[in-house]
Amino acid sequence: MSTYRAAQVAAAGGPFEIVEREAQKPGPGHVRIAVDACGICHSDVGFVDAVFPGVRFPLVPGHEIAGHVEELGEGAQSQGWQVGDRVGVGWFGGSCGHCTPCRQGDFIVCVNLKVPGWAYDGGFAETVIAPVDALARIPDALAATDAGPLGCAGVTTYNGLRRSSARPGDLVAVLGIGGLGHLAVKYAVAMGFETVAIARGADKADFAKQLGAHHYIDSTADASVADGLQSLGGAKVVLATAANSDAITATVDGLSPRGELVVIGATPEPLAISPLQLLLQGRIVRGHPSGTAQDVQDTMAFSALHGIRPMTEIMPLERADEAYRKMLSGAARFRMVLAAH
């Protein structure tokens, strides 16, 4: 049996080390993927630091996987997959198929959701074995290093916008223009929304315009973010990509009547929102999970059609620890991606 390299963490909070492992054959309903690239997401911290329950060590994280099918398990071919197919696996790494949400067809909130790096070894490696229901086809137009981040950062922002109440021509604001937000602005513009980018500092205005935003609001300016949004007519939707509860809270009064706050920036701090802020204007606050394999595939197809690509910094697998630390420091512009080959 051949071997492959993986970047693993031996204990909670520890450094990444490159190890050799024996390659395994995929079981029924699974495929083995040769990983070409894997993005590094801030959510990986929840696994590396054992914040999420049930994390086991040694740990190989990585849920922004792009590669090609290397070997088929029993039944995979009958579900339409062939050796050589280019595939991506994102946060949605498979569902159980039998819990109530799955039986209702709402697979992304599966009670037993299989997230790569949590339910099974993730993509910080040269190969990964994944269930076929996790696979999304990668368009020929997308490089693996671009496709990888779309499996989490891309689908979360794209899906968050297309499943919102906003319609073309509506005012839509994106809070934060980092790893998720820079993609969200591009998607919002391509979907036909009048797009507002919100970030800290006047110096980010030019970058926001480069992304295509029609308006920019500096959250550190004297006028409040809510006032800025209301001066534009009020936002039908605010997509909150920044993981900062105070910044998210500051947008609520900038929503239009029946406006919607869609939260995708993960933080444990509570939101300081009063019932009156919601009741009198009929406003909505909801959390948005990422998306299924089909949603990832839709995201990649939309990105290819509109020329949307993530801004990435690429490092080889053997520099996984360095790449991960750079993501943690906030110095990455904007998605760190590991190239496995």
Side-chain angles (χ1 to χ4, degrees):
M1 183 69 73
S2 61
T3 62
Y4 68 96
R5 296 181 306 152
Q8 72 174 28
V9 175
F16 284 89
E17 55 183 355
I18 304 298
V19 297
E20 290 274 342
R21 293 187 170 189
E22 190 173 287
Q24 303 295 315
K25 295 185 72 64
H30 287 67
V31 300
R32 188 172 71 236
I33 300 167
V35 178
D36 296 315
C38 186
I40 300 177
C41 178
H42 198 274
S43 298
D44 289 320
V45 177
F47 307 123
V48 173
D49 290 351
V51 175
F52 293 122
V55 174
R56 299 181 300 275
F57 293 90
L59 171 84
V60 179
H63 58 268
E64 293 186 342
I65 303 164
H68 56 277
V69 176
E70 194 172 48
E71 185 176 354
L72 301 169
E74 181 184 349
Q77 187 170 8
S78 67
Q79 296 189 49
W81 300 101
Q82 302 286 341
V83 170
D85 285 347
R86 300 182 70 222
V87 295
V89 180
W91 176 266
F92 179 85
S95 56
C96 72
H98 59 75
C99 69
T100 298
C102 282
R103 286 168 61 85
Q104 293 171 335
D106 199 359
F107 302 106
I108 190 57
V109 288
C110 169
V111 174
N112 306 295
L113 189 67
K114 302 170 187 175
V115 180
W118 193 359
Y120 52 86
D121 287 341
F124 289 16
E126 291 177 324
T127 67
V128 63
I129 292 176
V132 293
D133 67 323
L135 305 182
R137 294 189 186 275
I138 299 175
D140 292 340
L142 287 183
T145 49
D146 290 330
L150 299 185
C152 184
V155 69
T156 303
T157 52
Y158 172 78
N159 226 23
L161 288 168
R162 74 165 174 170
R163 298 190 185 282
S164 75
S165 57
R167 296 296 176 263
D170 285 343
L171 190 77
V172 169
V174 176
L175 174 64
I177 52 175
L180 277 73
H182 83 285
L183 282 168
V185 171
K186 292 182 179 182
Y187 287 137
V189 172
M191 289 177 183
F193 302 137
E194 183 179 353
T195 305
V196 186
I198 306 169
R200 293 177 58 83
D203 57 317
K204 294 187 175 70
D206 287 342
F207 177 58
K209 289 181 180 178
Q210 289 171 23
L211 294 173
H214 303 101
H215 311 279
Y216 177 73
I217 295 177
D218 173 9
S219 63
T220 65
D222 291 338
S224 72
V225 169
D227 287 344
L229 290 173
Q230 289 297 345
S231 72
L232 296 170
K236 180 66 175 178
V237 168
V238 171
L239 185 72
T241 74
N244 182 310
S245 293
D246 289 340
I248 296 171
T249 300
T251 68
V252 174
D253 285 334
L255 291 168
S256 65
R258 304 288 182 188
E260 182 180 21
L261 172 62
V262 181
V263 181
I264 61 175
T267 174
E269 299 301 321
L271 298 175
I273 300 172
S274 75
L276 284 177
Q277 287 177 284
L278 306 179
L279 292 170
L280 296 180
Q281 297 291 318
R283 291 166 175 152
I284 298 166
V285 179
R286 67 177 178 87
H288 171 73
S290 58
T292 64
Q294 183 61 54
D295 293 324
V296 174
Q297 192 163 307
D298 292 347
T299 301
M300 292 193 290
F302 187 87
S303 300
L305 181 65
H306 290 275
I308 295 172
R309 303 292 186 273
M311 297 178 70
T312 60
E313 219 175 311
I314 302 166
M315 288 190 182
L317 179 64
E318 54 266 24
R319 294 172 65 186
D321 193 72
E322 178 186 350
Y324 178 78
R325 304 297 161 192
K326 187 165 187 178
M327 178 278 296
L328 274 184
S329 73
R333 292 292 180 267
F334 282 100
R335 296 303 272 189
M336 300 301 301
V337 179
L338 298 176
H341 299 284

